[in-house]
Amino acid sequence: MVKTMEWQHDALEILDQTKLPVEISFIKCTTYLRVAEAIKRLEVRGAPAIGAAAGFAMVLGWQQLMREGKAELQNFAAIRDELIAARPTAVNLAWAANKLYAKAEAMAEQSAEEIAAALEALAQKIYADDIACNKKMGEYGAALLPPHTRILTHCNAGALATCGWGTALGVIRAAHAQGKIDMVYADETRPLLQGARLTVWELMQDNIPVTVITDNMAAWTMKQKGINAVVTGADRIALNGDTANKIGTYGVALAAKHHGIPFYIAAPVSTFDFNIATGAEIPIEERSADEVRRLQGVVTAPQDAPAYNPAFDVTPAELITGIITEYGVIKPPYLENIKKLQLKTKEENFNG
């Protein structure tokens, strides 16, 4: 698998996902602002990958403050806030940025150099932990799938969306290693084609059988091709289990419900937002209308046509069969069981 990103102590090298699958190229980010720009442009994307990139961006931000003689918490807080604003829906971004800020705050009496070393170590831990979490999720998710699984996925929740292995695609990778996968059907995922460009490319790289379909083929493909499971990633999960993911996921979940197909979400604990009660509180990013009016730079609609372009939608908890995490599979009742997960993570943080 191609690495999504690589830390170089004073720079973050990011795989430019906007150029895949035609070109494999990397962007060297030497400032936190360039990382923020990469997040906005979707050069790096996927909630866990964005979180890890934000962690390294915070390190770059502190290093910059040190060079400028401005290594103070109020300046570091401004960098954190600027990074969080880059993409508002994916909660991992804020989770990582706040985690590094809290580390600096806790070390306020120590030297700027000591803080810098601790921040770098923490960002690297976030990166390594993500890969370990994904592999645990993969095993838990694979156990849910029957032999001869014909699975549908939406957008890209693979190694490219994480620090390696993947969430939804981590489940698929683990199931494939067990000989369970007959075929993966990947929605192309308009308007930016993350499914066609990224998911299909990833699976082909690993010799996992995959067929690309357009988004509006999903329901009919479920009916005609014997699909017996759906798995997607997530960008934010509310306390009641409502889940934000790439636009189009809600429709896939509705179609799966109609056909009696289990619909699973695969996401690490860092994607849960324990501070919001329902999906109604999740901010939905709206992107440029030109992403809808054009396809890969080609005009596909009148240039003055109004366009609606939410990057995400929210799938209600009642449409979700289970949420696969590194702690196991959460099943309904979601409010009760997600609160148990929250308590478990609090205890671990306290003890660790």
Side-chain angles (χ1 to χ4, degrees):
M1 285 176 284
V2 177
K3 280 189 175 182
T4 313
M5 66 189 78
E6 186 168 4
W7 175 244
Q8 299 173 343
H9 301 293
D10 59 356
L12 179 65
E13 197 164 77
I14 291 173
L15 174 66
D16 186 351
Q17 298 191 35
T18 64
K19 294 182 178 176
L20 289 173
V22 176
E23 179 185 329
I24 298 175
S25 62
F26 294 84
I27 302 160
K28 190 168 186 175
C29 303
T30 57
T31 69
Y32 80 91
L33 284 172
R34 184 61 186 92
V35 180
E37 189 178 350
I39 292 169
K40 287 178 186 175
R41 291 180 177 178
L42 276 68
E43 291 164 336
V44 61
R45 36 127 328 261
I50 289 172
F56 289 123
M58 289 287 283
V59 178
L60 291 173
W62 184 259
Q63 291 175 348
Q64 180 177 324
L65 292 176
M66 286 176 61
R67 288 193 300 271
E68 295 172 352
K70 299 177 181 177
E72 298 172 1
L73 283 176
Q74 63 183 23
N75 296 327
F76 199 41
I79 288 172
R80 174 200 61 189
D81 294 345
E82 195 168 357
L83 282 166
I84 290 172
R87 294 200 75 189
T89 301
V91 74
N92 302 61
L93 196 166
W95 170 82
N98 282 320
K99 197 174 182 74
L100 267 80
Y101 178 80
K103 170 61 76 173
E105 189 175 40
M107 297 178 66
E109 300 304 315
Q110 299 185 44
S111 71
E113 290 77 12
E114 288 173 317
I115 293 172
L119 292 177
E120 184 174 359
L122 180 54
Q124 289 176 312
K125 185 176 186 301
I126 288 171
Y127 178 90
D129 285 352
D130 181 65
I131 297 172
C133 286
N134 289 344
K135 291 190 173 179
K136 286 182 183 176
M137 272 185 277
E139 294 303 317
Y140 285 125
L144 298 170
L145 302 179
H148 302 294
T149 293
R150 302 175 73 80
I151 195 165
L152 184 142
T153 190
H154 186 76
C155 197
N156 174 262
L160 294 170
T162 64
C163 299
W165 198 246
T167 54
L169 291 198
V171 171
I172 290 170
R173 283 191 169 94
H176 179 257
Q178 296 172 16
K180 287 184 170 182
I181 299 294
D182 282 2
M183 182 58 68
V184 180
Y185 289 90
D187 290 346
E188 64 176 356
T189 318
R190 277 282 284 143
L192 297 179
L193 306 179
Q194 292 98 324
R197 293 188 303 104
L198 307 179
T199 294
V200 175
W201 181 78
E202 269 198 55
L203 294 177
M204 289 180 72
Q205 293 285 308
D206 285 355
N207 296 312
I208 297 173
V210 60
T211 298
V212 63
I213 61 173
T214 63
D215 296 3
N216 55 3
M217 295 176 187
W220 186 243
T221 303
M222 289 178 187
K223 184 178 177 67
Q224 294 296 107
K225 295 295 184 179
I227 288 171
N228 52 10
V230 177
V231 61
T232 75
D235 287 88
R236 188 181 298 217
I237 302 172
L239 201 56
N240 73 337
D242 291 350
T243 298
N245 193 49
K246 180 55 59 183
I247 189 72
T249 304
Y250 179 29
V252 169
L254 287 168
K257 183 77 169 179
H258 175 80
H259 290 96
I261 300 168
F263 178 93
Y264 298 108
I265 295 291
V269 166
S270 57
T271 301
F272 286 77
D273 188 341
F274 300 119
N275 297 313
I276 60 172
T278 73
E281 298 176 59
I282 298 175
I284 299 298
E285 174 189 357
E286 290 199 30
R287 296 180 61 81
S288 166
D290 275 340
E291 290 181 353
V292 175
R293 292 189 294 241
R294 294 170 176 263
L295 179 62
Q296 301 285 283
V298 177
V299 174
T300 57
Q303 281 299 281
D304 57 352
Y308 176 47
N309 188 19
F312 305 91
D313 56 26
V314 177
T315 298
E318 58 264 26
L319 298 178
I320 300 170
T321 308
I323 303 173
I324 304 160
T325 78
E326 67 269 37
Y327 290 89
V329 181
I330 301 174
K331 295 285 187 74
Y334 285 119
L335 182 60
E336 178 183 332
N337 289 329
I338 290 174
K339 282 184 175 179
K340 287 179 182 176
L341 177 67
Q342 180 185 19
L343 183 62
K344 186 176 181 65
T345 57
K346 275 185 179 178
E347 287 173 351
E348 284 190 359
N349 289 335
F350 178 78
N351 294 327

